[in-house]
Amino acid sequence: MSKPTLTVGFVLADRFTLSAFSTFVDALRLAADEGDGSRQDRCRWHVMSASGRPIVSSAGVEVMPTSGLLPPESLDYVAVVGGLLPRSGGPARPIDSMTEAYLVRAAERGRPLVGVCTGSFVLARLGLLDGCSICVSWYHYRDFVELFPELSASADRLFVKDGDRITCSGGTGAADLAASLVDQHLGQALARKSMRILLQDRARPGVGPQPQPPSTAQAQDPRVKRALLLMEQHVGDPLSVEAIALELSIGARQLERLFRDALGIGPNAAYARLRLERADWLLRMTEHSVTEVALECGFADCAHLSRSYKASFGRPPSAVRPRRRQAADLAKI
C-alpha cells in the first residue's frame, strides 16, 4: 500500500513575506521523510509561477519557481503567501492576471485555497473569501476591514479553517498551520516530529491567540489574551463584556473573574486602559486631531477623551500633540 501524501502548490505574491513562506515549507519538509534528508516522500511542495521569473520577497531575497501553474487537481492545497501592502511600498497588483485566473479556476474545481499572511487580501480581492470566516494578523486587521468591510475577519487566533478556505495570520503561525495539515493528512507523529525539529514543543491550535500585541503580553490565560485581542480589534466600536464573553463561549461573570485573576482589574477597566493607550500613541505619533483620535478610539467626542486622558495621564491631550497641531486642537477642547 502506498504511503499517504500531502501536496501543496505555493503562489508567492510580489514582495511576499519570506518568514511565513519558509516556516510553512520547512514544517512540510521536516515531515516529508523518515530522516532529515529533505526527500519529498510524504510531503511535496511546488513554487508555482506563470512567468517562471524569480519572485522577490519583502526582504529582497529572490525565490526561483519550481514549476508553472500546475493542474489544481494535482494539489491538495493552493497556498497564496502575501507580503507588503501598497501603503507599505508593496505592489498595487501582487500577482499577475494569469495567476489570478488560475486561483479562480482552482476554486471552481474544489481545491482548498490557503491565504497566508496578506495572501488573504489576494483571495478577498478575487471574491474567493465571500461568506467565509477569515483570520488576519492583528497588524493588518484595520487594513483588511477598511478594504473589505463586507467580509467577516478576526485577528484573535492563528488560523481559521472554513470549509475549503483556510486563512492564516502569518509569521510563525504558518508553521502551526502546516503542522495541522500534516496531522490531518499524515498523522500526529509526523506533525510532532516537524515541530520538535523546529524547536517548538508542539503545534499551536488554530484557535490559539495571536501573541504579538503588546496589550496582551501581561496576560497568560489564553481566554484573556483572546478577549484583549478582540478589544484591540474593536477599539473604535467597543464591544460589551457580554458580547466578548459570548465570542469566547463563556459567561460574563467568568470573564470578569479571569480578568481580575490575570490582570487585577475587570474587563471594562482593561478595555478603557487599552483605548487610552491607543489614544496616547495616536496623539504622540500622528497629526490626527483630538476629535479624530477620540472617534477612532471609541470616545463620544474630544471632551470625553480629554477628561479621561487627563484623569489617566495627568495632562491634557494637547500637551503631547505635535507642535504644528497643538494650536488647532486647543481651539477644539
Side-chain angles (χ1 to χ4, degrees):
M1 181 180 294
S2 61
K3 296 178 181 178
T5 60
L6 168 61
T7 305
V8 180
F10 287 96
V11 169
L12 305 182
D14 187 10
R15 302 292 171 179
F16 70 96
T17 303
L18 188 61
S19 59
F21 169 63
S22 61
T23 54
F24 199 129
V25 170
D26 253 357
L28 297 179
R29 179 184 68 84
L30 294 168
D33 63 14
E34 298 301 332
D36 191 26
S38 299
R39 297 178 296 270
Q40 297 192 31
D41 293 341
R42 298 287 189 91
C43 297
R44 302 186 179 104
W45 52 92
H46 307 273
V47 178
M48 304 187 297
S49 170
S51 69
R53 292 191 293 271
I55 309 150
V56 183
S57 72
S58 59
V61 177
E62 295 183 348
V63 172
M64 281 296 299
T66 61
S67 74
L69 299 173
L70 298 171
E73 295 81 1
S74 68
L75 305 169
D76 293 304
Y77 299 91
V78 177
V80 182
V81 183
L84 291 181
L85 297 176
R87 69 168 178 79
S88 301
R93 192 172 189 177
I95 63 173
D96 57 64
S97 58
M98 288 184 64
T99 306
E100 289 178 344
Y102 172 79
L103 293 174
V104 172
R105 186 165 68 253
E108 291 172 346
R109 296 182 182 179
R111 288 300 85 189
L113 301 180
V114 183
V116 181
C117 193
T118 59
S120 55
F121 287 69
V122 175
L123 297 178
R125 284 194 181 94
L126 297 175
L128 299 176
L129 294 180
D130 292 355
C132 297
S133 295
I134 304 161
C135 173
V136 295
S137 166
W138 65 269
Y139 189 74
H140 297 300
Y141 175 78
R142 292 185 179 277
D143 297 302
F144 192 91
V145 296
E146 288 176 5
L147 288 170
F148 312 107
E150 72 282 2
L151 299 182
S152 176
S154 66
D156 62 333
R157 58 196 70 191
L158 296 173
F159 58 87
V160 169
K161 298 179 180 180
D162 189 349
D164 57 4
R165 298 292 184 271
I166 304 173
T167 47
C168 175
S169 57
T172 58
D176 298 294
L177 171 57
S180 175
L181 299 181
V182 169
D183 189 343
Q184 177 183 336
H185 289 265
L186 306 177
Q188 190 176 78
L190 287 178
R192 284 180 173 174
K193 170 205 170 190
S194 182
M195 289 294 98
R196 284 198 299 270
I197 298 175
L198 287 173
L199 302 184
Q200 288 189 211
D201 289 337
R202 61 183 64 85
R204 296 169 292 180
V207 295
Q210 295 179 29
Q212 295 91 336
S215 64
T216 69
Q218 57 188 310
Q220 298 302 315
D221 190 295
R223 293 163 294 183
V224 176
K225 281 180 174 285
R226 280 198 61 199
L228 287 167
L229 285 162
L230 286 168
M231 293 175 183
E232 285 270 359
Q233 295 172 43
H234 294 274
V235 169
D237 54 333
L239 300 173
S240 66
V241 171
E242 291 74 18
I244 295 172
L246 182 63
E247 184 69 23
L248 300 180
S249 300
I250 61 176
R253 289 184 178 179
Q254 184 180 1
L255 183 64
E256 182 83 26
R257 289 195 298 272
L258 289 171
F259 263 76
R260 293 197 178 280
D261 290 343
L263 304 178
I265 57 175
N268 279 322
Y271 211 162
R273 185 170 67 187
L274 186 153
R275 289 161 55 213
L276 280 167
E277 288 173 353
R278 175 70 62 81
D280 180 58
W281 187 90
L282 290 170
L283 289 164
R284 288 185 291 104
M285 304 302 294
T286 76
E287 294 190 5
H288 296 339
S289 69
V290 174
T291 297
E292 290 170 334
V293 172
L295 295 177
E296 186 167 340
C297 296
F299 294 90
D301 50 35
C302 64
H304 182 200
L305 170 60
S306 295
R307 289 193 301 271
S308 300
Y309 188 90
K310 188 172 183 179
S312 180
F313 295 102
R315 60 185 185 275
S318 57
V320 296
R321 303 299 288 129
R323 290 183 178 178
R324 53 184 173 275
R325 291 306 304 258
Q326 284 184 7
D329 286 341
L330 286 170
K332 297 177 182 179
I333 296 175

